[in-house]
Amino acid sequence: MESHETKYSNSVEEDYDINQDQAAVTRRIQRLSLHLNPISEPPVSSDRLQLLTCAGRAKINVSDEQLAKYLRGKHRDIQERVYEYFNAKPDLQTPLEISKDEHRELCMRQLVGLVREAGIRPFKYVVEDPVKYFAVVEAVGSVDMSLGIKLGVQYSLWGGSVLNLGTKKHKDKYFEGIDNMDYPGCFAMTELHHGSNVQGLQTIATFDPLRDEFIIDTPNDGAIKWWIGNAAVHGKFATVFAKLMLPTHDTKGVSDMGVHAFIVPIRDMKTHEVLPGIEIHDCGHKVGLNGVDNGALKFRSVRIPRDNLLNRFGDVSRDGKYTSSLPSINKRFAATLGELVGGRVGLAYSSVGVLKIAVTIAVRYSLLRQQFGPPKQPEISILDYQSQQHKLMPMLASTYAFHFATSYLVEKYAEMKKSRDEELVSDVHTLSAGLKAYVTSYTAKSLSTCREACGGHGYAAVNRFGSLRNDHDIFQTFEGDNTVLLQQVAVYLLKQYKEKFQGGTLTVTWNYLRESMNTYLSQPNPVTSRWEGEDHLRNPNFQLDAFRYRTSRLLQSVAFRLRKHSKTLGGFGAWNRCLNHLLTLAESHIESVILAKFIEAVRSCPDVSSRAALKLVCDLYALDRIWNDIGTYRNVDYVAPNKAKAIHKLTEYLSFQVKNIAKELVDGFELPDHVTRAPIGMQAAEEAYSQYAQCSGF
């Protein structure tokens, strides 16, 4: 945990304090008033927010074609090129049983074939059109997740570091080789002893003014670069993150200028032999993603030209003088990491793609599989059972919610890359951290749920849940550990909390906090806390207010606790004492953002039947989340007991309604059979069992 995170325990001034006793008295008076003068829920007026309700109790007639058209990104064409290329190349399709070494070589051939034969060049899109780049990444990841990660290492990490941290001379020298795969490379940041704490990296780059070179050294085994993708077998270059040390004329001898990035050749361009002074070892077989050749790098006095410093944020002259447009090590470090946020954006977006595949397979199988039924009547599909609906329908609703939220994130990231607006940069940094953490954690849990929901057949490797789960699992760790990323969200929320009380301007994503905090400070309305009508519960205003109220309550209470504990424990101790509270706060905020984007997507849908279907799914997402945290709402009297019961009942009914259109909803993802590649998840249900039997040799 970085020390700057702990500072906010002291930043909430005494002016922010709330008289808790007075607030409790106010609540009691309001409740007493309600009992003395009961008020029924008013009818919904015509000028209230329009509700897009289900057509009574009947099934919604929804066109999967219209739904797919609305969901479809503007770069669906390039995704279909990816699907068609690999579908036409059986020799490039990853078999079920393959060794680590064979998988690595296949993965490299897949990437080279995509670039050189299919003519899909993702690198130029990294800066010019990030939305298109992420569309390619999602499609490639559905072919083989190892391939998606290898592509990301080559173009987003290695290539992205050259484009984003270097200057024109670096782009001119390396762009073409990175683009056409002549220069396969690595991104060497993580060390054996340091992962999340990048400022604590120990690798050293010392400038030698006599030879105009940097000397890269690994000072101890803890500084060995570890888990470096492309390093074990294929990489020829590495972007190495190291502390830049400049010689001085004082007693210290050197001056530490902070972590910088350097281009270091690691293998000979012709012979592919490891270069002198560099030691490379294989990190070995992993839980998943074995098509990616992760390796460990150790440097012993490896010399590189001064020009190999990626010098966008800091440079060293021929005579050893350091210059930078940014005044401090912390500012330069923040700017460097800020340019690498695209990796988090890509992981959040790709994780939704994995979730779409898994939920599609599970839902199609659940519609196909029949088991038991009323006496002397045909068996019913397992999706007709409430327990199966409870497992899969909120998950399907979440998949839709995440689709719209991550699509919004990708668009904001693309806008940020063009405008470089400071507020937008801050917004995207926090939103990408939160969505990456929240979505990847949810997907990881859901993959196990999908496997279980498909019973024994879900355990067959051919039906993919095992490989999807194993390959995706690391999404929760790389590009920022999820627990660390959620703390970054909490830090920014506390900054905005402080800003709110100082009367400053809030950035776009946080605007709701001003109104929501005012609502929270005035305490719950004892009248609306009892309303339980379906129109009220399905009103987006109620749903979003409930999400935001919870976030505001968590924010105010954790700020109060941080200030209280910092007096005895200090900033770091107070942060650690409140850590679980802070993580819950961050997740609550991200859920609020996700719901807001889902509601916007429902309103914007031009097709009436698709809009009604999306409204149904959005309501299930919102009410399921409220019910899952109903204790929080009950504890502060935001929801009365009768209303809590109504929310639970309506959530179960909405799951039933979503079940009725589940086939159309998963078909809306437009995932052909050669992409899902699971016999039990085939679009043509009548062929599923025969295809499955063929996989076993029948």
Side-chain angles (χ1 to χ4, degrees), residues 88-373:
K89 292 281 185 179
D91 60 310
L92 292 182
Q93 294 169 13
T94 308
L96 277 179
E97 298 183 29
I98 185 170
S99 71
K100 169 177 65 68
D101 293 340
E102 289 173 331
H103 197 178
R104 288 173 171 183
E105 290 309 312
L106 173 61
C107 206
M108 186 63 169
R109 287 194 292 113
Q110 288 172 331
L111 182 53
V112 171
L114 181 75
V115 172
R116 297 179 182 174
E117 189 174 354
I120 295 174
R121 297 288 188 92
F123 193 34
K124 62 182 178 182
Y125 305 136
V126 170
V127 173
E128 292 177 10
D129 192 349
V131 179
K132 193 169 188 177
Y133 173 75
F134 291 124
V136 173
V137 171
E138 181 188 22
V140 167
S142 69
V143 172
D144 184 330
M145 228 179 294
S146 287
L147 174 59
I149 297 304
K150 195 170 186 71
L151 182 147
V153 170
Q154 174 68 11
Y155 295 122
S156 184
L157 295 181
W158 153 234
S161 64
V162 173
L163 294 183
N164 294 316
L165 303 181
T167 49
K168 185 178 182 298
K169 63 183 178 182
H170 300 110
K171 181 176 179 179
D172 291 344
K173 183 174 181 179
Y174 293 100
F175 186 95
E176 183 61 29
I178 295 173
D179 183 49
N180 65 19
M181 289 297 297
D182 283 344
Y183 294 172
C186 319
F187 184 82
M189 177 181 280
T190 299
E191 296 179 355
L192 182 59
H193 283 185
H194 286 88
S196 298
N197 183 13
V198 181
Q199 278 188 301
L201 296 181
Q202 298 178 55
T203 302
I204 294 171
T206 306
F207 182 62
D208 178 358
L210 296 178
R211 294 177 56 176
D212 197 24
E213 293 174 334
F214 287 104
I215 305 169
I216 311 296
D217 272 303
T218 302
N220 55 67
D221 284 352
I224 295 172
K225 296 295 182 181
W226 207 269
W227 291 125
I228 309 305
N230 273 356
V233 179
H234 298 125
K236 294 183 184 295
F237 296 89
T239 294
V240 176
F241 288 80
K243 292 189 292 185
L244 195 165
M245 312 298 286
L246 291 179
T248 60
H249 300 293
D250 56 23
T251 55
K252 292 182 179 179
V254 291
S255 177
D256 183 354
M257 307 308 296
V259 174
H260 288 62
F262 304 81
I263 295 176
V264 181
I266 60 174
R267 287 186 173 93
D268 186 273
M269 288 298 295
K270 294 181 179 179
T271 66
H272 202 63
E273 293 294 318
V274 176
L275 294 174
I278 298 174
E279 191 176 345
I280 302 179
H281 291 280
D282 198 322
C283 288
H285 199 275
K286 306 184 291 291
V287 171
L289 295 178
N290 281 299
V292 182
D293 52 315
N294 294 90
L297 299 170
K298 189 173 185 179
F299 304 97
R300 292 189 180 89
S301 300
V302 176
R303 288 181 172 271
I304 58 172
R306 180 169 53 89
D307 277 351
N308 283 29
L309 166 66
L310 293 172
N311 60 337
R312 179 179 170 191
F313 297 116
D315 203 0
V316 176
S317 65
R318 178 64 184 85
D319 58 357
K321 291 182 180 178
Y322 185 84
T323 56
S324 174
S325 58
L326 299 171
S328 67
I329 287 178
N330 285 341
K331 291 273 188 185
R332 293 192 292 272
F333 178 74
T336 297
L337 291 195
E339 286 299 324
L340 305 176
V341 75
R344 294 173 186 170
V345 176
L347 281 184
Y349 193 71
S350 296
S351 184
V352 180
V354 175
L355 185 57
K356 286 177 182 176
I357 292 173
V359 79
T360 295
I361 297 169
V363 166
R364 285 178 178 165
Y365 175 73
S366 297
L367 289 167
L368 164 71
R369 181 71 165 179
Q370 294 180 330
Q371 207 82 166
F372 305 111

Side-chain angles (χ1 to χ4, degrees), residues 602-661:
V602 173
R603 289 171 175 157
S604 302
C605 183
D607 177 66
V608 175
S609 67
S610 298
R611 188 162 68 247
L614 289 174
K615 178 62 170 69
L616 173 65
V617 175
C618 184
D619 289 340
L620 175 57
Y621 171 79
L623 293 176
D624 179 68
R625 287 301 191 281
I626 292 172
W627 174 249
N628 286 341
D629 200 20
I630 199 66
T632 296
Y633 294 104
R634 287 288 301 114
N635 286 342
V636 295
D637 299 318
Y638 192 86
V639 171
N642 64 313
K643 188 169 187 173
K645 184 178 179 181
I647 289 170
H648 185 212
K649 184 177 179 181
L650 183 55
T651 301
E652 290 187 337
Y653 172 68
L654 292 175
S655 286
F656 169 75
Q657 285 284 75
V658 170
K659 181 270 297 186
N660 287 335
I661 58 170

Side-chain angles (χ1 to χ4, degrees), residues 31 40-41 46 48 97 130 233 271 347 396 427 483 639 660:
R31 284 200 293 271
S40 60
E41 180 181 346
S46 59
R48 284 179 62 186
E97 298 183 29
V233 179
T271 66
L347 281 184
L396 178 55
D427 226 24
T483 301
V639 171
N660 287 335

Side-chain angles (χ1 to χ4, degrees), residues 553-600:
R553 174 184 172 275
L554 287 164
L555 177 55
Q556 190 276 336
S557 57
V558 80
F560 178 83
R561 288 185 65 205
L562 284 169
R563 188 180 69 244
K564 172 187 172 183
H565 290 304
S566 65
K567 294 175 182 177
T568 55
L569 301 176
F572 184 89
W575 187 271
N576 196 33
R577 174 67 65 88
C578 300
L579 187 52
N580 290 335
H581 192 157
L582 289 158
L583 298 177
T584 303
L585 164 66
E587 289 177 338
S588 177
H589 167 68
I590 293 302
E591 287 184 347
S592 298
V593 174
I594 292 170
L595 178 59
K597 295 307 156 191
F598 202 167
I599 290 170
E600 287 178 15

